[in-house]
Amino acid sequence: MWFSKSQEDVFKELQVSPATGLSEEEAKKRLEQYGRNKLKGKPKKSLISLFLSQLKDMLIYVLLGAAVITIVIEEYTDAVIILMVVFLNAIIGVAQEYKAEKAVEALQKMTTPKSLVRRDGETVEINSEEVVPGDIVILDAGRYVPADLRLIESANLQIEESALTGESVPSEKNATSLLTDPKTPIGDKVNMAFMSTLTTYGRGEGVVVATAMDTEIGKIAKILDEDHTEMTPLQKRLEELGKILGFLAIGVCILIFAIAFIQKRDLMDMFLTAISLAVAAIPEGLAAIVAIVLALGVTRMSKINAIVKKLPSVETLGSVNIICSDKTGTLTQNKMTVVKHYTQGVLSDVAQTASNLTANEDEAELIKSLVLCNDATYEEGQGTGDPTEIALIALGDKYNLTKEALNEKHERVSEFPFDSDRKLMSTLNKEGNGYRVHTKGAIDSILKIASTALVDGRIVPLTEQLKEDFLKTTEEMSDSALRVLGAAFKDTEQMLEPEEMEKDLTLIGLVGMIDPPRLEVKASIAEAKSAGITPIMITGDHKNTAVAIAKELGIADSIEQSLTGAEIDAMDEKAFSDNINNYRVFARVSPEHKVKIVRAFKAQGNIVSMTGDGVNDAPSLKYADIGVAMGITGTDVSKGASDMILTDDNFTTIVKAIEEGRNIYNNIKKAVIFLLSCNLGEVVTILVSILFSWPIPLLPTQILWINLVTDSLPAISLGVDPGDKDVMKQKPRSPKESFFAGGAGIRAILGGVLIGIITLLAFYYGIWEHGYRISDPDIPKEVMTYARTMSFVVIAASQLFYSLSMRHSIKSILSVGLLKNKLLILAIALGLFLQLVVISVPFLAGAFQVHNLSLQDWGIVFGFALIPLVVNEIIKMVLRMKKK
Ligand code: ATP
């Protein structure tokens, strides 16, 4: 029982030294021996079962039934064609689903948590799956515990174990306690940490005692919510539409059957026609095409550093009209440099390249506190940890007050970690025979807990005058966009509890650091604004610093557009919500204010995206329409609560993701409207012929072929259409907007009717060319075959050409770039080629009852087939002129 063993015994048994950890070599061996640290999920679907699941579909049952009937009536070619189409359709379905699944899997891999472990004496970050028994794991707030650990160090460590115990209040851990009762329940094992639980506060270290299925969570085999497929609102709406169209199709089939019965047509023929009409009318490809377009879209987005965790977010992204963004690191570079410091009334500059500087007594105290109260490391220009803290160590180096030397002399014995509510951090270090508290943080927070100040090496009361001096200097530095941090200390004889540290301190001085804005952000902000999106800055930093940077970036024009957390608290919720649209900068806020801000923006009908990185940001990320976590600086908690992760922590990526989101939605719309037009074209062709008791221009097998083979490729190609460069000049789409808004529905109907009409025309032309009329009862079989070939090729070609016109609802095919969508051009070429193959390879031509066309016929076919495209382009031209 690990919890009842001493730390030494644990190290011995697992053969590891806590100071150096395992060697990489040993870790590799153990990884082979114990396997990857992964809970077993559901087994994956095999290709065969994927294939079989494609066949579980009403439409396929109908087709299989039709195949059986054709065999019974000895129409073997028809049977073969039907079966071939079913087979091809299933293969296309498998390929789409496989591709979509692979894309989602790859995304999941990118978001697997990482762990800090000690290997060969160095702290390294590795994939949690590579953690092995014996590894020394470092825990800090916001990180998931990667495996079961026997704790060996804990500093105010708190872990939330609800995944295991159901208890959501974090439990306090203590590495030094030894438990003797072998029946100690999991929740009371204070010297252990368990896989899949979450560090919410403090720091700790532990040695891995169990991984993967050997862990407590592995034993109860509770699989985390790894695979859940969620349908997007659009997918749900399309599914409903599909159902409605399905019922309509059945209705139409019954109608046709009834009419045919009255007209005394051949019932078997009519049966097959009705079935193929059903196939034409049911938009069975929609769901698959939307799924693949979404999957390909999120893969593309991951390449521009935005990992979308949930598919519905892609749609929501397109509607975002407020981007709330953290300042530090997202709008700025998070590369801090101290450029000024202030003690006892003197503000001094620190040159960026300075070295070997000498500090006076007060300055030395200031730097000492800032360097000791610090968790970062910095050596030879390379730092790890919080950039604010790295800058402070770099400052110390310039004055030859290195962290190493100071730490050696003043060992840290306790600490009160930084959190963004207090905006303070304190450590307790040895000082002579006693101890000294070193505190650093936001100056307003320090002023609240300081009662004295250090002036010329003496501790004097913190008078109103002194306070004013400090505040004035802070404002001065903040106005020039500097981030200001204060430091304070106090001496004590005995050890102090964390809560006791931050009281009655002596204020020493201030430092001001620059954190330059990211170069690309200014342009992105301008782009967002032209796209009808308002960028909002939310920061824990000082109001003046925030506003200075906001002005520089074009987020705000004046300080009147900013509010502080304290000002928000002073307003009543309604007034805050009513006026929220007037503000662009929220400064000195804590995570709870972020929730208030999101709520107020949402109350005004906005679609809000919110960024976050800390443990306490989870509620606001969840509450926002799009919660955005930081990939580099973000905690596991924030990533878990988010809808999207930025792998580069960059504001620009959010704007790019919104652009992608808009394009993906538009592409889905194009693909769907295209498919519906094609289906409608087929329905119109058959329905009109039946209603007028004319011969039917398309045979059942021909309809199947067109509907299931030639349509799919252009539809998918439309789904991956290159983005419209003007998409960010439009206002965001309202999420309530109907899918058929903006004339999309009318266009689908118009396209369908046009395709139907020209197919009929081509058929009549074929008959008329041979001197017959459509109503003649005795049209010879060869003439029929010829006319059907014309309509068969015309309907396929017109759909293919029409797809070009679907690329934009207003712009002409030339202005969007005729050849820009290479895949679409390829799909059209392939479609035409297949059509050529079907009519010219004798055995296929026989099966589909078509024959070869002469060059002149091809000319006529193209003439007909281009009509829907041309008409649609003329309509677009009129619309463009009207708009002007
Ligand atoms: P953003 O929210 O845009 O990322 P931020 O980094 O300034 O901005 P916080 O990290 O919440 O927000 O910091 C708020 C304030 O707390 C800072 O302005 C600074 O005064 C203080 N602070 C930041 N980091 C530390 C730290 N490591 N130790 C002590 N105080 C800090």
Side-chain angles (χ1 to χ4, degrees), residues 459-709:
I459 295 178
V460 299
L462 183 60
T463 57
E464 284 306 314
Q465 180 59 45
L466 274 176
K467 269 191 190 176
E468 209 168 285
D469 285 349
F470 273 104
L471 284 175
K472 220 178 100 222
T473 315
T474 304
E475 296 228 333
E476 215 172 278
M477 288 200 266
S478 302
D479 279 338
S480 44
L482 296 187
R483 178 178 174 84
V484 183
L485 216 61
F489 77 101
K490 83 171 162 190
D491 286 327
T492 145
E493 314 244 290
Q494 70 267 46
M495 288 274 291
L496 292 178
E497 285 300 312
E499 291 72 26
E500 295 296 309
M501 294 180 191
E502 291 171 359
K503 269 181 197 160
D504 296 326
L505 296 178
T506 302
L507 178 56
I508 319 171
L510 305 169
V511 286
M513 46 186 97
I514 49 163
D515 176 16
R518 285 177 180 267
L519 298 175
E520 62 283 20
V521 162
K522 202 170 170 176
S524 301
I525 284 178
E527 187 179 17
K529 282 173 148 182
S530 78
I533 301 166
T534 313
I536 302 287
M537 176 192 282
I538 299 189
T539 176
D541 217 337
H542 194 281
K543 187 169 175 173
N544 296 35
T545 313
V547 171
I549 295 176
K551 277 190 193 165
E552 202 174 324
L553 290 173
I555 293 179
D557 307 317
S558 72
I559 193 135
E560 277 72 48
Q561 291 175 310
S562 65
L563 271 186
T564 63
E567 285 165 339
I568 296 177
D569 289 336
M571 288 167 96
D572 83 81
E573 195 153 333
K574 172 127 191 354
F576 177 56
S577 167
D578 288 348
N579 292 307
I580 186 101
N581 286 332
N582 300 331
Y583 297 104
R584 299 288 179 269
V585 176
F586 298 91
R588 279 286 188 255
V589 294
S590 32
E592 59 183 279
H593 292 120
K594 283 182 149 186
V595 179
K596 275 193 182 173
I597 295 169
V598 177
R599 190 179 300 150
F601 272 121
K602 281 179 80 167
Q604 299 299 315
N606 296 299
I607 305 294
V608 186
S609 115
M610 167 68 93
T611 65
D613 48 13
V615 192
N616 305 335
D617 284 336
S620 58
L621 291 181
K622 281 208 176 122
Y623 203 77
D625 296 289
I626 297 282
V628 182
M630 299 298 140
I632 305 170
T633 56
T635 52
D636 289 343
V637 194
S638 61
K639 289 180 194 167
S642 68
D643 304 296
M644 182 166 92
I645 299 175
L646 307 179
T647 55
D648 61 355
D649 290 12
N650 192 342
F651 177 87
T652 300
T653 306
I654 307 177
V655 181
K656 281 199 211 141
I658 291 178
E659 181 175 353
E660 269 301 330
R662 289 185 178 189
N663 278 326
I664 292 172
Y665 185 87
N666 288 347
N667 284 350
I668 290 179
K669 198 162 166 171
K670 294 176 207 169
V672 170
I673 300 291
F674 170 71
L675 275 182
L676 291 180
S677 308
C678 293
N679 288 7
L680 186 63
E682 292 148 25
V683 174
V684 166
T685 309
I686 295 173
L687 205 57
V688 169
S689 312
I690 296 215
L691 288 178
F692 288 95
S693 321
W694 294 333
I696 295 165
L698 295 167
L699 293 174
T701 47
Q702 295 172 347
I703 296 176
L704 285 182
W705 169 259
I706 292 163
N707 195 48
L708 295 180
V709 182

Side-chain angles (χ1 to χ4, degrees), residues 761-828:
L761 283 179
F763 183 62
Y764 304 155
Y765 172 83
I767 292 174
W768 170 83
E769 211 188 356
H770 288 83
Y772 292 91
R773 292 209 343 231
I774 188 74
S775 47
D776 289 349
D778 52 354
I779 304 168
K781 198 155 179 277
E782 314 85 66
V783 175
M784 277 304 249
T785 304
Y786 171 76
R788 283 210 171 107
T789 309
M790 293 295 270
S791 51
F792 178 52
V793 182
V794 162
I795 193 165
S798 65
Q799 291 176 352
L800 291 170
F801 293 149
Y802 190 64
S803 68
L804 273 178
S805 186
M806 295 301 297
R807 287 191 51 213
H808 203 284
S809 58
I810 298 256
K811 289 186 191 171
S812 77
I813 50 170
L814 296 177
S815 72
V816 291
L818 190 57
L819 303 178
K820 212 163 163 211
N821 186 340
K822 304 252 162 14
L823 212 61
L824 183 60
I825 299 297
L826 210 71
I828 294 173

Side-chain angles (χ1 to χ4, degrees), residues 47-48 50-56 60 63 82-98 708:
L47 275 182
I48 299 274
L50 260 183
F51 181 83
L52 290 178
S53 70
Q54 300 295 321
L55 301 180
K56 283 187 209 136
I60 300 293
L63 285 177
I82 292 173
L83 289 176
M84 197 181 76
V85 165
V86 168
F87 185 74
L88 258 177
N89 199 43
I91 296 273
I92 294 177
V94 169
Q96 285 175 345
E97 204 164 299
Y98 188 72
L708 295 180

Side-chain angles (χ1 to χ4, degrees), residues 326-328 386 388-389 418 420 423-425 440-443 483-485 538-542 588-589 613:
D326 283 341
K327 169 178 73 71
T328 312
D386 179 355
T388 304
E389 299 194 337
F418 173 75
S420 37
K423 300 185 172 50
L424 291 171
M425 164 173 175
K440 72 179 192 320
I443 184 65
R483 178 178 174 84
V484 183
L485 216 61
I538 299 189
T539 176
D541 217 337
H542 194 281
R588 279 286 188 255
V589 294
D613 48 13

